[in-house]
Amino acid sequence: MPHKTTGQAVRPAAVHPVSGPAISGTAPTAAPATLTPQQVRTLRGSVAAPGPVAAEGEESVIVTGTRETGGRKARESLSPIDVVSAKQLNQTGQPNLREALAQLLPSLTMPTGGFDSGALTDSISLRGLNPNETLVLVDGKRRHTTANIYADPGPQQGSTAVDIDMIPMAAIDHVEVLRDGASAQYGSDAVAGVVNIILKKQDHGFHAESISGITAAKDGFQQGVYLDGGAQLGSRGFVHVSGDFYHTDHTFRSAPDARTGQKNNYVLGQPEQTRESVAIKAGYDLTDSIQLYGTGTYAHRHAESYQNYRLASSLASYPGYAAIYPNGYSPLETIEENDFELTAGVKGKLAGWNWDLSTVYGRDFDNIGLTNSANLAIEKDTGRTPTNFDVQGFNNSQWSNNFDLSRKFKFSGWPHEINVAGGASYRYESYSIGTGDADSLYGSGSDAMAGTNPGNAGNFSRDVVAGYIDVSTHLTRHWQLDLAGRYEHYTDVGDTETGKVSTRYEVSPRLAFRATISNGFHAPTLAQEHYSALAISPTAARGLIAVNSPGALANGSSPLKPERSTNVSGGIVMEPFRKLHVTVDVYQINLRDQIMPGGQVYGAQAASALTMNGFSLPSDVNTWSASSLSTHWFANVASTRTQGLDLTATYPTQLGNVGRIDWDVAINLNRTRLSHQGTDAQGNPLMNAQSIAYLTTAYPRSKMIFGGRFTSGKWTVGVHEIRYGQTTSQLTYYGGAGNTSSLSSTNFLQFHNTPKFITNLEVTYRVHPRLALTLGGNNLFDARPSRVPDNNRYLGAPQYYMSTSQLGMNGGFYYLRGDINF
């Protein structure tokens, strides 16, 4: 099919009908392949400018979760699919993609906050599982992951997720979210589901958007600018260029520091961030049946995250640093990140077969630094007082090559078409850890985070080859069946085989049942196998060492195995009465050999393990409590069972000539239980109560989104309520003057972060057919997480517990948005 006649090429985001969260079937159907060039030009002209809200949108055609040529309608999918248009993303008022999706999809969550360098990378989770269990695609191709591992405690610990915010929001046409296991179709990581980001490819027009906002606390100012436009390449091709600029200031949510009684410890808060990103997508029809296509994205991020405040008294013996920091200091952990991906391919049709040959190369490079810090050993020995350090460098790259085939067959004796698809892929993955600079390594290292020493640096890689087959047909006119199987070989962790069986039975045009059973896997990442670091606080330190390092092996570590899952789901799609569309799906995910940090060791045992790995410890470590010094490594810690329910419903109310209201409800209920805990080579449990809580209760038990959007003439008013269910954590006890000493290694406080409601409101006025202005508020009434008891806050400052994925800590956010289209 020529590029210029595809539906996506002529579908600006601005004309998507208004619909609620998580609702499939609200975007226009792809244009028929039989349109003439003149008809296509006419259609393009008719949708170039925003139009009135349609009374009832046709169902979206999806390409995720199916190998059928031409896709399949969302409500005909054999697995639950959410389709989120660019217009829906814009209506959230969120300047970032992950925050926008979190406002729309109840099955998708994001961390409450974050610590250290982990706060500098944006991650998402589906169905209460680690971000590594969600596969992200861009235009159906596997996206490379970040090099910045989330190494701090919490349910996302160990994740090197795809940072979807590095893809320009301006480039996104829509997002398809498959809420089901799909490893047999797409390979590793698709345990909880798949997020497929579809980029725009209009060959005309220009769109500009600006979002300016600030929190209720009058900090965290955010500014986003989003531009995109398309042009023709002769008469047979297109190019679409998009770009974002985004900046946010710090937010400050710390309570007074228990050592000083003042709000001078900024550890709790949103990092400052500036990000620039660009995307180019192009296609050209060599012939009527052969097409060239390509995509490129590039993003740069600078971000800064505060560390715990250091008292001025700590510099009494260091006059050089005391002169620089007369009032003490708060180290800033920084990141300079460069991320790019290039895709090139050719596809076409030959002898009845649809074929697609593509190559994708992606790379993420992170330079982690410290500013406003110190290395006291350098002043003591040399008299120098450096304040800026390069502490870590990470590089992650992925080169994927794919060849895909599909064809529909008709056989005598079988009345229905059989769609057969298959393919093969080769992927090369590499991960590099760079050393810190000399000043960051001297003595016990730079304060807040010691530089990576040569013994923990290195270059690591692996090869992955795979093959798959997918067969789908109807058993009867109303009964569909899909079968998929996949084989993958990893040079470091061996072979995996996965399969999937999906079925759908349509009782009537208004009632259908669907079900899927599959198995899946997540191969340990190279970062999980090789990452090491030591995070240093004023009176504590926490290490994370490689599973195959001397320190881990001496304490009973074992090589990592892939995680394996069994997914079962069943659902109903119905229209009880005209225009009321309802889907209900239940699911169960049994996840075995889950990878998280395990083997907690403390005190002298931790000191020995860290020393074996070349780390130098602070000079006063012998004065700390045993539980203030710890280390661990990634391990296959446990098996879990996750059970849940997803419900979506939409209903439009026509108010005569006054306008219409689009009502929507979306609910996710989710519970994870521990079914088995792993042990190390010496028979010791790999997790304590705190670690178990990260796996089982750190994600909300429920998330509900409900509301509506009223449209009348030039006005649109949207109101949605989001309810976040309870999370439960096991908190560390602290004691000593200023809560400086950790008292917990086996005894913790059970803490309930109670359910929270937030209200989102947005009011849009269309000043001109091509210009719209919006005033809105997310979390209108400034709800915050539950406050942590005083005895469970290290140094007193972190009044909210950041190691969950419930309500964010920033509170209310109020914004002004402008959109213009040409």
Side-chain angles (χ1 to χ4, degrees):
M1 184 187 300
H3 282 296
K4 60 183 179 179
T5 59
T6 57
Q8 291 171 357
V10 298
R11 186 175 60 190
V15 300
H16 284 231
V18 177
S19 61
I23 303 306
S24 305
T26 57
T29 305
T34 55
L35 291 180
T36 66
Q38 180 59 43
Q39 288 173 317
V40 171
R41 286 191 291 270
T42 301
L43 179 58
R44 285 175 176 154
S46 69
V47 300
V53 177
E56 186 176 4
E58 294 183 357
E59 293 188 333
S60 306
V61 173
I62 59 170
V63 296
T64 311
T66 178
R67 299 286 183 179
E68 290 187 8
T69 304
R72 177 184 284 164
K73 288 186 177 180
R75 286 199 177 93
E76 296 175 355
S77 172
L78 278 66
S79 298
I81 296 275
D82 298 324
V83 180
V84 180
S85 70
K87 184 172 184 177
Q88 288 174 280
L89 295 173
N90 292 345
Q91 287 170 340
T92 66
Q94 294 290 353
N96 295 306
L97 175 58
R98 69 161 185 162
E99 293 175 292
L101 289 174
Q103 295 282 332
L104 296 168
L105 303 176
S107 60
L108 185 146
T109 55
M110 52 182 278
T112 297
F115 296 95
D116 305 327
S117 61
L120 308 179
T121 293
D122 302 331
S123 63
I124 56 173
S125 303
L126 285 178
R127 290 183 164 178
L129 297 179
N130 185 283
N132 279 345
E133 320 295 347
T134 298
L135 176 64
V136 176
L137 310 174
V138 175
D139 287 333
K141 310 296 183 184
R142 176 183 288 264
R143 176 81 175 181
H144 70 279
T145 59
T146 180
N148 184 25
I149 188 171
Y150 193 100
D152 297 296
Q156 64 271 18
Q157 191 169 19
S159 62
T160 48
V162 173
D163 191 335
I164 60 176
D165 286 342
M166 301 300 271
I167 302 168
M169 275 191 71
I172 298 171
D173 181 82
H174 66 281
V175 181
E176 298 176 1
V177 180
L178 170 64
R179 291 180 275 112
D180 206 350
S183 291
Q185 293 168 301
Y186 299 109
S188 177
D189 308 338
V191 173
V194 177
V195 176
N196 190 5
I197 299 170
I198 310 298
L199 304 184
K200 296 174 183 176
K201 58 179 181 180
Q202 295 96 309
D203 64 0
H204 64 285
F206 174 78
H207 172 247
E209 179 182 355
S210 173
I211 299 177
S212 302
I214 196 168
T215 69
K218 300 180 182 179
D219 58 10
F221 172 78
Q222 297 185 35
Q223 176 63 58
V225 178
Y226 313 89
L227 307 171
D228 76 275
Q232 294 184 355
L233 292 179
S235 61
R236 303 184 68 90
F238 75 93
V239 61
H240 199 97
V241 181
S242 311
D244 290 2
F245 169 82
Y246 169 76
H247 174 81
T248 180
D249 290 338
H250 286 286
T251 62
F252 305 100
R253 297 295 176 266
S254 293
D257 192 298
R259 298 166 297 173
T260 65
Q262 300 177 13
K263 287 190 175 182
N264 52 8
N265 190 337
Y266 306 132
V267 68
L268 187 70
Q270 171 182 280
E272 179 182 284
Q273 181 181 159
T274 302
R275 186 179 67 244
E276 307 90 12
S277 56
V278 64
I280 301 175
K281 182 170 181 176
Y284 193 83
D285 300 324
L286 294 176
T287 70
D288 288 341
S289 60
I290 300 178
Q291 306 161 22
L292 290 175
Y293 61 90
T295 303
T297 66
Y298 170 77
H300 171 263
R301 170 193 278 135
H302 168 81
E304 301 178 349
S305 176
Y306 276 105
Q307 308 302 295
N308 278 298
Y309 170 68
R310 271 64 174 172
L311 298 174
S313 59
S314 67
L315 302 176
S317 301
Y318 305 93
Y321 278 118
I324 298 173
Y325 304 127
N327 300 312
Y329 62 103
S330 296
L332 274 168
E333 196 163 316
T334 66
I335 186 172
E336 294 292 342
E337 182 174 10
N338 289 284
D339 182 283
F340 73 87
E341 184 167 282
L342 298 172
T343 300
V346 58
K347 60 184 179 180
K349 191 168 185 177
L350 179 65
W353 287 92
N354 298 285
W355 56 272
D356 187 345
L357 178 64
S358 64
T359 184
V360 183
Y361 180 78
R363 178 180 181 269
D364 184 70
F365 176 74
D366 302 325
N367 183 21
I368 308 295
L370 282 172
T371 65
N372 203 49
S373 187
N375 187 328
L376 303 183
I378 291 181
E379 181 181 350
K380 181 179 179 181
D381 294 344
T382 70
R384 293 192 304 114
T385 55
T387 58
N388 297 334
F389 305 88
D390 290 328
V391 295
Q392 296 175 330
F394 303 108
N395 176 53
N396 185 76
S397 66
Q398 177 180 288
W399 180 37
S400 300
N401 301 274
N402 297 275
F403 182 63
D404 303 291
L405 291 168
S406 67
R407 181 177 179 177
K408 290 185 176 180
F409 291 92
K410 292 207 69 172
F411 297 100
S412 60
W414 187 255
H416 308 289
E417 286 186 331
I418 300 175
N419 191 83
V420 178
S425 67
Y426 165 75
R427 186 167 74 251
Y428 174 78
E429 299 177 354
S430 67
Y431 176 68
S432 301
I433 304 173
T435 60
D437 62 25
D439 285 349
S440 74
L441 294 169
Y442 192 91
S444 59
S446 44
D447 194 18
M449 177 171 281
T452 302
N453 62 63
N456 290 300
N459 300 305
F460 315 97
S461 64
R462 67 184 178 196
D463 301 284
V464 185
V465 294
Y468 76 90
I469 188 168
D470 191 304
V471 179
S472 62
T473 188
H474 280 72
L475 301 179
T476 68
R477 180 182 175 186
H478 301 293
W479 187 6
Q480 302 176 58
L481 180 69
D482 276 15
L483 305 173
R486 189 180 193 91
Y487 167 82
E488 294 204 19
H489 172 72
Y490 286 73
T491 53
D492 59 341
V493 294
D495 301 337
T496 63
E497 300 85 23
T498 53
K500 182 175 182 178
V501 180
S502 300
T503 187
R504 183 181 190 274
Y505 186 79
E506 187 175 284
V507 178
S508 72
R510 292 190 175 186
L511 178 64
F513 296 92
R514 59 191 178 194
T516 298
I517 182 169
S518 65
N519 67 322
F521 72 101
H522 160 66
T525 65
L526 292 171
Q528 288 174 329
E529 292 181 313
H530 301 288
Y531 175 86
S532 290
L534 179 65
I536 305 170
S537 295
T539 59
R542 183 183 64 252
L544 182 56
I545 57 180
V547 64
N548 59 353
S549 67
L553 293 171
N555 285 279
S557 68
S558 301
L560 290 178
K561 300 179 292 185
E563 299 175 345
R564 300 185 184 275
S565 69
T566 302
N567 297 48
V568 180
S569 65
I572 182 171
V573 182
M574 56 184 170
E575 188 179 1
F577 52 88
R578 189 170 178 268
K579 296 183 181 181
L580 175 62
H581 296 284
V582 180
T583 68
V584 182
D585 293 273
V586 295
Y587 58 89
Q588 177 173 290
I589 305 170
N590 291 332
L591 186 56
R592 302 177 298 280
D593 296 322
Q594 192 159 350
I595 300 171
M596 290 282 281
Q600 304 274 357
V601 294
Y602 297 90
Q605 189 177 1
S608 174
L610 290 166
T611 303
M612 286 183 190
N613 285 24
F615 290 104
S616 297
L617 299 175
S619 58
D620 60 346
V621 68
N622 292 329
T623 67
W624 298 354
S625 65
S627 56
S628 293
L629 179 64
S630 64
T631 193
H632 44 206
W633 52 89
F634 288 108
N636 298 102
V637 297
S639 298
T640 59
R641 171 172 290 179
T642 299
Q643 296 172 312
L645 176 145
D646 291 319
L647 180 149
T648 68
T650 59
Y651 183 73
T653 301
Q654 197 69 41
L655 304 176
N657 294 328
V658 176
R660 63 176 290 190
I661 301 176
D662 292 285
W663 304 99
D664 55 78
V665 176
I667 299 173
N668 173 256
L669 307 177
N670 192 78
R671 179 181 66 184
T672 297
R673 291 178 172 175
L674 187 73
S675 55
H676 173 74
Q677 181 173 176
T679 58
D680 62 23
Q682 300 166 356
N684 301 309
L686 288 170
M687 294 190 298
N688 56 26
Q690 193 171 64
S691 301
I692 293 172
Y694 293 151
L695 284 181
T696 57
T697 57
Y699 292 97
R701 287 290 304 274
S702 62
K703 184 179 174 185
M704 306 177 186
I705 307 172
F706 53 94
R709 183 163 280 106
F710 170 67
T711 303
S712 178
K714 296 181 178 181
W715 290 92
T716 299
V717 179
V719 181
H720 283 87
E721 196 77 8
I722 303 179
R723 181 192 185 273
Y724 294 89
Q726 177 175 288
T727 63
T728 302
S729 304
Q730 299 287 332
L731 302 186
T732 300
Y733 287 102
Y734 295 98
N739 278 8
T740 55
S741 181
S742 172
L743 305 179
S744 295
S745 58
T746 58
N747 184 33
F748 302 92
L749 173 70
Q750 187 177 78
F751 172 71
H752 299 297
N753 196 359
T754 57
K756 300 292 189 301
F757 284 86
I758 69 169
T759 302
N760 296 337
L761 169 69
E762 49 105 356
V763 179
T764 299
Y765 178 70
R766 188 160 291 284
V767 181
H768 182 273
R770 300 184 183 276
L771 173 64
L773 298 177
T774 299
L775 186 65
N778 293 322
N779 192 356
L780 198 62
F781 303 109
D782 196 29
R784 305 281 184 91
S786 301
R787 288 171 60 91
V788 172
D790 290 348
N791 290 339
N792 301 97
R793 306 179 191 173
Y794 177 61
L795 306 183
Q799 60 179 326
Y800 308 127
Y801 193 55
M802 290 192 285
S803 296
T804 66
S805 290
Q806 197 215 36
L807 177 68
M809 62 181 170
N810 282 333
F813 176 72
Y814 312 118
Y815 63 90
L816 175 66
R817 185 181 77 236
D819 286 273
I820 188 166
N821 291 273
F822 293 100

